[in-house]
Amino acid sequence: MMMISFCLILCLFSLNSAEINDQQIVRIDLNEESPISTILFTTPANVIYRLFDSGRNHNELISYNSSNGQILLSKNLDREELCLQRRCSCSNCQLIIELIEWQSPYQLLRFILNIPDIHDQNPTFSAEKFDFNLRENLPIGFELPLESAFDKDLGENSRISYHLQMISSHENPFELITKPNGGLTLKVIKNLDREEKDVYEYELIAFDHGQPRQETSVHLFIQIDVRNKEIE
């Protein structure tokens, strides 16, 4: 009896795949901050549907109540995480939901959920503070590489600019340089004299170009060491 039931189910799903000759497509724009249980769509009351697992959809993100026809969001959406997991395109994040009529001719109901990028990410650094040791009398033009910030947003929301703010009032021997490839350095523009000043502290501020602007900062601590004349 169990073998017969299994064969019937297998035949039914084989029939579904073979007889899906038509489909209805519904496009929905969905904010990634939409709460769980958001109603995405309500199917017609006179048609019975079931979730259809084609292996190419994202049905695990929703739940379907066949008694009232409501398709509900069942998980939180994070566009950036979906992109990193390659579950959708980073430039055009779309999720596919598929239902099928539970009766002949087994018409497929396909939902394309478009998840637009919203400005919800701050630029980030890998740490809150970076420490450096430089020897005095470095040549003018020497460049100290810095870590760039990263923003998970897209477009202008992810484009980052920087501002260097000196914490203590003193003549600044460094200039912040942003490279065409996005790299970041501190360039020595004046002689470093440990006897004059042995520590420099800055706040490196990273801000994006979204509206409203979002920013973060990292503390730079630069210790000037005495030059080792024996090594020279």
Side-chain angles (χ1 to χ4, degrees), residues 35-59:
I36 291 177
S37 297
T38 295
I39 299 175
L40 306 179
F41 191 81
T42 302
T43 59
N46 60 338
V47 181
I48 299 175
Y49 287 95
R50 293 288 187 271
L51 289 174
F52 179 68
D53 185 9
S54 65
R56 302 183 303 273
N57 54 40
H58 304 86
N59 286 357

Side-chain angles (χ1 to χ4, degrees), residues 11-147:
C11 292
L12 177 60
F13 276 96
S14 298
L15 183 65
N16 285 348
S17 300
E19 292 191 1
I20 298 174
N21 298 318
D22 194 12
Q23 64 179 357
Q24 179 184 358
I25 297 178
V26 178
R27 299 180 183 273
I28 300 175
D29 286 333
L30 183 62
N31 190 312
E32 63 177 311
E33 294 185 341
S34 298
I36 291 177
S37 297
T38 295
I39 299 175
L40 306 179
F41 191 81
T42 302
T43 59
N46 60 338
V47 181
I48 299 175
Y49 287 95
R50 293 288 187 271
L51 289 174
F52 179 68
D53 185 9
S54 65
R56 302 183 303 273
N57 54 40
H58 304 86
N59 286 357
E60 71 279 2
L61 299 176
I62 61 100
S63 62
Y64 176 61
N65 188 333
S66 58
S67 62
N68 59 20
Q70 290 183 347
I71 301 173
L72 307 174
L73 184 66
S74 62
K75 294 185 179 180
N76 291 318
L77 298 179
D78 187 325
R79 190 186 194 281
E80 287 72 28
E81 285 300 316
L82 291 169
C83 165
L84 290 175
Q85 296 169 7
R86 297 186 178 181
R87 298 179 68 188
C88 73
S89 166
C90 294
S91 60
N92 184 28
C93 186
Q94 292 184 335
L95 305 176
I96 305 299
I97 305 298
E98 293 176 312
L99 279 74
I100 192 169
E101 287 188 28
W102 207 240
Q103 58 196 30
S104 181
Y106 306 108
Q107 185 182 40
L108 188 69
L109 179 57
R110 173 175 290 175
F111 297 89
I112 300 178
L113 306 183
N114 180 50
I115 316 297
D117 181 43
I118 61 174
H119 189 209
D120 62 343
Q121 299 289 326
N122 289 339
T124 58
F125 290 98
S126 64
E128 296 182 353
K129 180 183 179 184
F130 295 134
D131 295 321
F132 303 96
N133 288 83
L134 298 178
R135 63 178 177 83
E136 62 179 345
N137 293 332
L138 280 173
I140 302 298
F142 173 86
E143 294 188 12
L144 173 67
L146 300 176
E147 178 184 301

